Amino acid sequence: MPIYDIDYETMPREGLEAIQLRRLQTTIERIYATIPFYKETYDKAGVKPSDIKSLDDLRRLPFTTKQDLRDNYPYRMFAVPMEQVIRIHASSGTTGKPTVVGYTKRDISTWADLMARSMAAAGATAGDIIHNAWGYGLFTGGLGAHYGAERLGASVIPVSGGNTKRQITIMQDFKPTILCGTPSYILHLAEVADEMGVNFKDLSFKSGIFGAEPWTERMRTELEAKLNLKAVDIYGLSEVMGPGVSVECVEEQKGLHIAEDHFIVEIVDPDTLEPVPPGDSGELVFTTITKEAFPVIRYRTKDVTSLNPVPCTCGRTHMRMNKPTGRTDDMLIIRGVNVFPSQIESVLMESREVAPHYQLLVDRVDNLDILTVKVEIDEASFSDDIKGLQAMEGKISHNIKEHLGVSAKVALVEPKTIERSQGKAVRVIDNRQF
């Protein structure tokens, strides 16, 4: 398939690293001058921008964490004045406060370019029609894909999530050729299509770009069989940019090509924070080197993966990352929404009728993630009033949806029935098979 930005995407390693160093040095100088957090952190570490003379010197700089972003909520991590910020996105945080991300006009253009690259890697061209079932709004998926499709020159249908039967009709009538969305929702679309008597083999899709939640090779096989298309994985996170940080190519579908002319990647041991041997798994760390409004340096993603430096048959020379196999923290991803147990706890504790003992049960039913919140009712509120208990469950479920944007079934249980732990409480039971 044609490569969107052939000069950069196929650049020899020596030239790529020279660009990385130049852009890294420029970024460090700028954030040191404009973001107090970085200046204070680097001064404390005894590092100046002039000390960054090679890519190896990046390791002299401290890591950035989600907690650092929360501590500087909402705009103190921005490197430009607000009059230069033309878009704001946000993702979930453990305290209920979102991680706020800003974009300049140039950032939006860069993001569109990288998403156009990603779509081209997945087999899309200017002649394609892209059915975009990622959510629009503060979540970066929908708008990221939208602008990328337009930059590529393709036609984009901004259908977003939900209205599943209507989406099937649109697929029949508009004849889109590229499908974007979370893999679990896409499988749900396939099931609804089957119920409607619609066979995906009779539709026009050739490729699917799926991400925003973890999925396995087993799910790829299922997606490709049910949807009659090539299923391609895409990776991104709001703090680093959004989708388009890395993507599989349709030729190999073995590892996600990282846009290394925009991001420097590291894999570190999550306990020692030292680099792991080449090819070993560890925590994924990114440094942005072209972002203007919201650059991050050595950002710990908490995702666990490994790198593959072997050249790809597609011709792209950038490093590939393997599919993330897990996370180093307790964050759950439910249908593309980030959810932390502490967020659920905050919502639960707004209800006086429940006790501070709960568990989150996650299952995958009919290819959709189902979150059940099991929580003990307070002894003073315990009764045999079934209708009253059901009303209470409904109220808490509504509050979770309202505050966190995720649907959850709430199950009230009798006092002292959730197992206690002498160490850390077992808050999450994830029964999904990844």
Side-chain angles (χ1 to χ4, degrees):
M1 296 298 298
I3 296 176
Y4 178 78
D5 194 343
I6 194 164
D7 290 339
Y8 278 103
E9 293 184 74
T10 63
M11 183 174 288
R13 196 80 212 163
E14 183 179 355
L16 181 58
E17 291 181 354
I19 287 175
Q20 285 184 321
L21 178 58
R22 186 171 69 248
R23 291 178 171 178
L24 173 65
Q25 290 170 327
T26 300
T27 298
I28 298 302
E29 288 175 359
R30 192 163 59 86
I31 65 166
Y32 188 81
T34 57
I35 303 177
F37 164 79
Y38 282 116
K39 184 180 189 305
E40 293 167 8
T41 303
Y42 294 171
D43 285 348
K44 187 176 180 180
V47 185
K48 301 291 186 184
S50 58
D51 294 328
I52 307 303
K53 296 180 170 61
S54 71
L55 290 177
D56 288 339
D57 289 331
L58 178 62
R59 280 184 266 175
R60 300 182 62 182
L61 300 174
F63 292 94
T64 306
T65 66
K66 185 177 280 286
Q67 185 62 50
D68 295 326
L69 307 185
R70 291 198 302 266
D71 290 344
N72 288 279
Y73 173 89
Y75 303 138
R76 290 196 299 273
M77 294 295 278
F78 286 12
V80 298
M82 283 304 296
E83 53 263 32
Q84 295 181 30
V85 175
I86 67 166
R87 173 127 33 106
I88 294 172
H89 281 283
S91 65
S92 300
T94 59
T95 63
K97 286 185 177 180
T99 299
V100 180
V101 183
Y103 300 80
T104 64
K105 184 176 181 179
R106 182 178 175 183
D107 289 334
I108 293 295
S109 181
T110 298
W111 189 13
D113 277 336
L114 292 182
M115 279 303 297
R117 275 191 199 183
S118 299
M119 291 184 167
T125 68
D128 282 301
I129 301 173
I130 295 175
H131 185 105
N132 186 12
W134 273 313
Y136 284 66
L138 290 177
F139 171 62
T140 54
L143 284 169
H146 187 110
Y147 276 64
E150 291 183 339
R151 180 62 55 89
L152 184 63
S155 304
V156 58
I157 305 171
V159 68
S160 193
N163 295 309
T164 306
K165 290 185 177 180
R166 184 184 179 211
Q167 292 210 33
I168 303 300
T169 302
I170 288 173
M171 290 174 183
Q172 291 178 292
D173 296 346
F174 294 8
K175 302 189 185 318
T177 52
I178 305 291
L179 181 58
C180 297
T182 61
S184 59
Y185 180 66
I186 298 303
L187 282 173
H188 180 61
L189 273 170
E191 291 173 347
V192 172
D194 187 59
E195 293 171 1
M196 294 171 63
V198 176
N199 191 330
F200 261 78
K201 291 182 179 180
D202 297 327
L203 301 179
S204 304
F205 291 114
K206 63 180 184 180
S207 291
I209 306 171
F210 307 132
E213 66 186 13
W215 56 292
T216 60
E217 290 300 323
R218 179 180 171 185
M219 185 177 281
R220 189 201 305 274
T221 301
E222 188 175 358
L223 284 162
E224 293 187 340
K226 288 187 175 182
L227 305 178
N228 194 39
L229 50 66
K230 282 272 194 177
V232 171
D233 197 359
I234 191 169
Y235 175 87
L237 61 166
S238 299
E239 298 91 328
V240 176
M241 184 184 69
V245 174
S246 66
V247 67
E248 288 179 328
C249 60
V250 73
E251 288 88 351
E252 283 206 8
Q253 298 172 282
K254 292 180 181 177
L256 293 82
H257 294 272
I258 300 165
E260 288 192 275
D261 51 329
H262 294 270
F263 312 104
I264 297 175
V265 62
E266 302 174 78
I267 302 290
V268 302
D269 184 305
D271 296 320
T272 67
L273 299 183
E274 292 296 323
V276 302
D280 282 10
S281 291
E283 183 177 341
L284 185 64
V285 175
F286 277 113
T287 295
T288 66
I289 52 176
T290 57
K291 286 182 68 179
E292 292 183 332
F294 189 80
V296 288
I297 308 301
R298 304 196 79 194
Y299 183 73
R300 296 182 59 187
T301 67
K302 302 294 185 180
D303 288 319
V304 177
T305 186
S306 58
L307 299 180
N308 177 9
V310 177
C312 184
T313 57
C314 72
R316 293 174 178 84
T317 55
H318 294 194
M319 188 85 68
R320 283 178 285 174
M321 55 177 272
N322 293 312
K323 278 177 172 286
T325 57
R327 291 187 58 82
T328 63
D329 62 8
D330 59 356
M331 187 181 82
L332 294 167
I333 302 177
I334 308 295
R335 302 194 199 180
V337 179
N338 298 345
V339 182
F340 290 86
S342 55
Q343 287 179 300
I344 300 286
E345 180 175 322
S346 296
V347 176
L348 292 177
M349 292 306 99
E350 292 178 1
S351 300
R352 295 181 180 180
E353 299 89 351
V354 301
H357 302 291
Y358 66 94
Q359 280 186 332
L360 311 183
L361 286 74
V362 190
D363 296 280
R364 182 157 282 173
V365 179
D366 295 330
N367 296 310
L368 289 178
D369 294 334
I370 305 297
L371 173 62
T372 300
V373 179
K374 188 165 72 170
V375 59
E376 289 183 5
I377 193 166
D378 184 82
E379 291 193 46
S381 303
F382 183 68
S383 72
D384 294 328
D385 181 4
I386 302 299
K387 288 186 177 180
L389 294 175
Q390 290 176 338
M392 199 184 306
E393 289 173 342
K395 176 185 174 183
I396 297 172
S397 179
H398 172 80
N399 289 343
I400 292 172
K401 178 70 173 178
E402 188 78 11
H403 286 285
L404 306 180
V406 64
S407 298
K409 176 184 177 182
V410 175
L412 294 175
V413 299
E414 294 181 14
K416 299 180 181 179
T417 55
I418 292 178
E419 184 177 351
R420 307 298 194 256
S421 173
Q422 294 183 0
K424 289 185 178 180
V426 179
R427 295 298 194 196
V428 179
I429 300 175
D430 194 338
N431 297 315
R432 297 173 294 181
Q433 299 296 317
F434 292 127

